[in-house]
Amino acid sequence: IVGDTMGKYHPHGDSSIYDALVVMAQDFKKALPLIDGHGNFGTIEGDSQAAMRYTEARLKRVSEEYFLADLDKDVVEFTPNFDETEKEPSVLPVRIPNFLINGSEGIAVGMATSTPPHNLKEVIDAEIAFLSDESLTSRQLMKYIKGPDFPTGGIVINQADLEKIYETGEGKIRVRGRVTTEKLKNGHINLIVTEIPYTMIGAGIGKFCQDVAALSENKLTNDIIDISNQSSKEGIRIVIELKKDTDVENFTNLLYKKTKLEDTFGVNMLAISKGRPETMGLREIIKAHVDFLFELAA
């Protein structure tokens, strides 16, 4: 896959191609994974993927049916590749607004984009509603798209700011991890982190455990008995064992204040629209995709 891509379409380093393939297969980074990976494709805790010679990959069904269908029927323009030995599509005939569903993060020449992922069903419902009534505003479309839907879960605590963020395409979303408690037979309390902010993916999980331990070392709390990361393929599970008389609410607020269990996701929904980079609101993004679908149909 990497060799074909480098030789025909992307004359850059093999690592950038393989990294893109890996991310498209990681369900903790993408709300809708596009690649079905077999082998070690890394973990949410930042463990790196296996070398490309040890992994296999194929397209997900959604990629075949909603990204590549009708590509052979000249529904999009084909242009010469970098050495003019092959033809490649200038854009894929994508039937769903992937920019909203999977989000987008990256840096280019003097520009950066950061779009949170969203729920597939909500985005499709919003697009169907817009097809029925193109006068719908970003605020009205939020009846269908309530907010971002991060693969790692979490709670958006500044929901009042979402309307302005979706109107302008810019802003900051505050996300908290989700915690539950359970009482042990010895009276101790387990505080369990089951969802984390999207920004904590990778080394941030280990850093969080270190920061919690530092709270005890720096005498900011005397309530911690033990901390263990019991996360697995089933999901995130970070267990903090607390003393019997711990004020759990106060301790949880301490975690939000002193660790990355509450963090900020910066939103800048910058995309290429009609050949130009533009920061777009929710309505503009959905309208651009609807217009694109009509172009394909024509």
Side-chain angles (χ1 to χ4, degrees):
I1 296 171
V2 172
D4 261 4
T5 304
M6 194 187 310
K8 294 179 179 178
Y9 309 113
H10 188 80
H12 298 288
D14 59 338
S15 61
S16 59
I17 300 170
Y18 186 50
D19 286 349
L21 173 73
V22 167
V23 168
M24 287 191 287
Q26 293 176 327
D27 58 5
F28 52 86
K29 283 191 179 175
K30 294 296 179 185
L32 184 68
L34 305 177
I35 297 292
D36 184 8
H38 179 68
N40 177 10
F41 274 75
T43 69
I44 193 172
E45 296 176 51
D47 300 317
S48 60
Q49 63 273 10
M52 63 183 79
R53 61 184 176 274
Y54 299 121
T55 57
E56 300 173 355
R58 63 184 179 184
L59 291 174
K60 286 271 196 184
R61 183 177 171 185
V62 67
S63 304
E64 295 180 346
E65 295 185 0
Y66 293 98
F67 282 70
L68 302 175
D70 298 332
L71 193 60
D72 58 339
K73 298 175 183 174
D74 293 329
V75 292
V76 294
E77 182 184 355
F78 276 72
T79 58
N81 69 338
F82 63 93
D83 62 358
E84 300 187 353
T85 59
E86 301 272 351
K87 291 279 191 179
E88 61 182 4
S90 58
V91 63
L92 294 179
V94 185
R95 297 181 179 183
I96 56 176
N98 182 63
F99 181 71
L100 277 178
I101 294 165
N102 270 329
S104 176
E105 284 187 81
I107 301 173
V109 281
M111 295 174 286
T113 182
S114 179
T115 302
H118 295 82
N119 181 274
L120 171 64
K121 183 180 184 302
E122 291 180 359
V123 172
I124 298 301
D125 285 346
E127 189 154 292
I128 291 172
F130 188 82
L131 280 165
S132 302
D133 183 2
E134 289 199 11
S135 68
L136 291 177
T137 63
S138 294
R139 181 179 181 180
Q140 291 169 322
L141 289 168
M142 285 181 66
K143 172 185 174 184
Y144 306 95
I145 301 176
K146 309 295 184 182
D149 187 12
F150 296 108
T152 56
I155 305 164
V156 175
I157 61 172
N158 62 331
Q159 294 192 24
D161 298 334
L162 290 179
E163 185 179 319
K164 184 177 180 183
I165 291 171
Y166 282 127
E167 192 72 47
T168 63
E170 297 177 303
K172 293 181 179 180
I173 298 175
R174 298 290 297 177
V175 185
R176 280 183 176 175
R178 190 181 297 274
V179 298
T180 60
T181 59
E182 63 180 24
K183 203 158 190 176
L184 304 179
K185 291 181 180 179
N186 60 6
H188 292 174
I189 303 166
N190 272 353
L191 188 74
I192 305 167
V193 179
T194 57
E195 297 177 10
I196 59 173
Y198 190 61
T199 51
M200 201 192 282
I201 288 176
I205 295 176
K207 177 70 165 54
F208 169 72
C209 295
Q210 294 171 7
D211 289 344
V212 173
L215 294 177
S216 189
E217 293 170 5
N218 296 331
K219 303 289 190 278
L220 291 175
T221 179
N222 296 314
D223 296 322
I224 301 173
I225 296 174
D226 188 33
I227 177 170
S228 60
N229 184 1
Q230 302 174 12
S231 303
S232 64
K233 289 181 180 178
E234 277 66 54
I236 291 292
R237 181 181 168 87
I238 301 172
V239 181
I240 306 170
E241 187 177 346
L242 304 172
K243 293 178 181 177
K244 298 179 184 180
D245 57 349
T246 301
D247 185 328
V248 176
E249 186 176 345
N250 279 348
F251 182 81
T252 304
N253 288 333
L254 181 66
L255 293 182
Y256 290 143
K257 184 177 180 181
K258 296 293 185 180
T259 73
K260 292 291 187 179
L261 193 60
E262 180 181 314
D263 205 4
T264 299
F265 183 93
V267 177
N268 181 27
M269 297 196 290
L270 183 136
I272 303 297
S273 176
K274 298 177 182 177
R276 297 176 60 85
E278 181 183 344
T279 298
M280 307 167 74
L282 183 61
R283 181 186 185 276
E284 287 72 30
I285 294 171
I286 290 179
K287 183 179 186 303
H289 186 254
V290 167
D291 290 346
F292 175 65
L293 292 179
F294 276 110
E295 287 179 22
L296 294 182

